[in-house]
């Protein structure tokens, strides 16, 4: 087997060099490069920059840090702004946990420093700490309704209040109000991060949330196909089944 012309062209565009045979596993590398750079990159409505931003997201979520470094470089090569890279990683934090987000940020920062980017990058917060729950709820409610409060109201005191507060103020107030990425992009980032974790119960509401945020079903499907070779077929297909059956009139059924 040899690399297709499409795979070679995409690889060179992303990484600024021609692909070379792997010294120990050349067949596996040809298979993955032909699929990712030849087939996946040629399918759907995403730009190179969007594809790399989603790839950075799932590599951060899975903590595959050597590959993350390579794809942060690729993202910069195709015009993704350093702030966008940082914000995609920050957006993962409520889903993957802050220690993993810090690991990913440190890896990205090494690449940015080597590229001559001054750190720290500019602040992106747009709301004060005491305003984040109200600001987060203003984003969360149109996308997810009030199901978080309804579901967790059955928890014992004080967790019936604390858990919804943490979700609304953290995932939405702290993160989705930030500049650098719009809400529609942040919802795609959140969706593929959740898919990479195999968190099946959260996929249904987040597929719906990504669409309600302004992404088309085609774009949501393209995002999940883009990350499929990285996160594995079962995790990506679980989300794609939900995109296929998405009903705009249905409840998001969050956390059920």
């Amino acid at each position: 087997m040899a690399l297709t012309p499409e795979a070679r062209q995409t690889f060179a565009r992303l990484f600024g060099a021609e692909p070379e045979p792997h010294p120990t596993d050349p067949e596996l590398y040809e298979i993955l490069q032909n699929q990712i750079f030849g087939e996946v990159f040629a399918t759907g409505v995403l730009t190179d920059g969007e594809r790399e931003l989603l790839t950075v997201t799932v590599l951060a979520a899975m903590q595959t840090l050597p590959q993350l470094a390579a794809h942060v470089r690729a993202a910069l090569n195709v015009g993704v702004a350093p702030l966008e890279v940082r914000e995609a990683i920050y957006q993962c934090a409520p889903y993957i946990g802050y220690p993993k987000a810090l690991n990913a940020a440190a890896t990205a920062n090494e690449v940015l420093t080597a590229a001559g980017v001054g750190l720290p990058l500019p602040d992106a917060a747009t709301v004060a700490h005491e305003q984040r729950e109200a600001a987060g709820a203003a984003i969360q409610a149109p996308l997810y309704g009030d199901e978080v409060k309804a579901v967790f109201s059955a928890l014992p005191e004080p967790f019936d209040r604390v858990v919804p507060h943490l979700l609304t103020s953290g995932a939405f107030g702290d993160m989705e109000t930030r500049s650098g990425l719009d809400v529609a992009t942040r919802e795609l980032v959140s969706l593929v991060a959740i898919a990479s974790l195999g968190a099946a119960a959260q996929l249904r509401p987040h597929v719906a949330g990504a669409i309600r945020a302004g992404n088309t079903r085609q774009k949501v499907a393209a995002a999940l196909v883009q990350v499929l070779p990285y996160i594995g077929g079962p995790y990506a297909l679980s989300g794609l089944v939900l995109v296929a059956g998405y009903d705009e009139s249905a409840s998001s059924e969050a956390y059920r």
Side-chain angles (χ1 to χ4, degrees):
M1 184 191 302
L3 290 186
T4 65
E6 293 80 9
R8 285 187 172 278
Q9 290 167 8
T10 301
F11 186 98
R13 189 167 70 246
L14 296 176
F15 299 105
E18 287 291 317
E20 296 184 359
H22 193 270
T24 59
D25 296 282
E27 290 182 302
L28 179 60
Y29 268 69
E30 285 182 359
I31 291 169
L32 74 86
Q33 288 176 349
N34 277 332
Q35 184 181 89
I36 294 173
F37 304 121
E39 295 177 323
V40 169
F41 262 77
T43 306
V45 296
L46 301 175
T47 66
D48 282 354
E50 289 171 328
R51 291 179 187 280
E52 282 305 302
L53 203 61
L54 295 171
T55 302
V56 163
T57 297
V58 295
L59 296 175
M62 296 186 299
Q63 295 289 277
T64 49
L65 301 180
Q67 290 79 17
L68 174 61
H71 282 276
V72 169
R73 286 191 289 270
L76 298 177
N77 286 342
V78 296
V80 178
L83 188 64
E84 293 174 313
V85 171
R86 185 194 71 182
E87 289 304 308
I89 292 171
Y90 282 18
Q91 181 66 27
C92 294
Y95 306 101
I96 68 174
Y98 291 99
K100 290 180 180 179
L102 288 169
N103 286 347
T107 296
N109 287 339
E110 290 177 0
V111 175
L112 295 177
T113 298
V117 177
L119 298 177
L121 295 173
D123 290 350
T126 64
V127 298
H129 180 80
E130 60 273 13
Q131 299 171 329
R132 63 200 180 105
E133 184 162 13
I139 296 172
Q140 181 185 28
L143 304 182
Y144 297 95
D146 63 356
E147 289 180 290
V148 169
K149 285 185 178 180
V151 169
F152 293 116
S153 64
L155 288 174
E157 168 70 29
F159 304 105
D160 57 339
R161 293 178 290 100
V162 171
V163 170
H165 162 73
L166 291 174
L167 294 173
T168 299
S169 62
F172 295 94
D174 282 327
M175 296 301 174
E176 297 224 10
T177 61
R178 293 173 62 83
S179 60
L181 296 175
D182 59 22
V183 170
T185 302
R186 289 181 181 277
E187 285 294 311
L188 278 186
V189 165
S190 298
L191 173 62
V192 299
I194 289 165
S196 74
L197 301 174
Q202 280 71 46
L203 274 179
R204 183 179 299 277
H206 280 275
V207 164
I211 295 170
R212 290 170 182 162
N215 297 294
T216 63
R217 288 174 67 240
Q218 187 184 62
K219 190 166 188 177
V220 175
L224 289 164
V225 169
Q226 173 63 29
V227 302
L228 184 154
Y230 299 98
I231 70 176
Y235 285 176
L237 293 175
S238 294
L240 287 164
V241 166
L242 297 171
V243 178
Y246 176 73
D247 180 357
E248 291 187 8
S249 65
S251 166
S252 65
E253 299 181 4
Y255 304 97
R256 294 183 183 174

